[in-house]
Amino acid sequence: MPVRKLKEFLDREKIKYVSIIHSTAYTAQEVAASAHITGRELAKTVIVELDGQMAMAVLPANRKIVLQDLREVTGSDQVKFASEEEFKKRFPDCETGAMPPFGNLYGMEVYAAEALTENDQIAFNAGSHTEVIKLAYHDFERLVQPKVVSFTT
């Protein structure tokens, strides 16, 4: 069960959350539709490389990353999308592409799009292509302590 590490962490921190099981979906928009969540509320986790260091960029499913903006707000010289081959070993308990936005559990910095802060709740892949976790945004922010910046369109 890929999601165990995340659920154990949330339970230990006494976080109220909902687990939503849905039909298999791979893209963020498919996940949102399967789980009956708006694209604005569903956060997708994209692994990027900032000057050679992997980091998480977390943004609403209905938005896209602007690499130039991410480069500017992070002060990085080089920013690129990491390939699945490069990052899948960092997430041994997750299906490839279904990583939860909890960089603190995987030794990675997290950059959250400002647009996510407009939501009362946030939902995200729970380590598999069939389960989403939904919780209060302020709980996510308190636990992960992401750098909230503007890098989407």
Side-chain angles (χ1 to χ4, degrees), residues 118-134:
E118 298 164 10
N119 298 332
D120 290 335
Q121 297 200 312
I122 183 175
F124 47 85
N125 279 328
S128 79
H129 293 290
T130 58
E131 186 173 4
V132 165
I133 297 264
K134 189 175 186 177

Side-chain angles (χ1 to χ4, degrees), residues 13-89:
E13 295 293 327
K14 298 181 176 21
I15 300 299
K16 300 285 184 230
Y17 63 89
V18 175
S19 171
I20 302 168
I21 304 298
H22 58 83
S23 59
T24 302
Y26 294 96
T27 69
Q29 292 295 349
E30 287 173 347
V31 171
S34 285
H36 304 287
I37 297 168
T38 66
R40 192 172 54 90
E41 192 176 48
L42 181 72
K44 61 183 173 183
T45 302
V46 178
I47 307 301
V48 294
E49 276 189 39
L50 307 174
D51 291 336
Q53 294 293 315
M54 282 193 222
M56 290 183 172
V58 184
L59 61 153
N62 64 347
R63 301 264 186 131
K64 289 184 169 51
I65 292 177
V66 179
L67 286 177
Q68 178 65 25
D69 290 354
L70 190 58
R71 187 175 73 75
E72 289 173 12
V73 298
T74 62
S76 301
D77 291 324
Q78 293 188 338
V79 174
K80 68 174 191 160
F81 295 110
S83 72
E84 286 184 353
E85 205 52 47
E86 292 172 309
F87 70 73
K88 69 181 180 182
K89 290 185 187 96

Side-chain angles (χ1 to χ4, degrees), residues 93-108:
D93 57 339
C94 298
E95 293 176 11
T96 304
M99 306 78 61
F102 282 70
N104 52 315
L105 298 180
Y106 299 96
M108 300 173 95

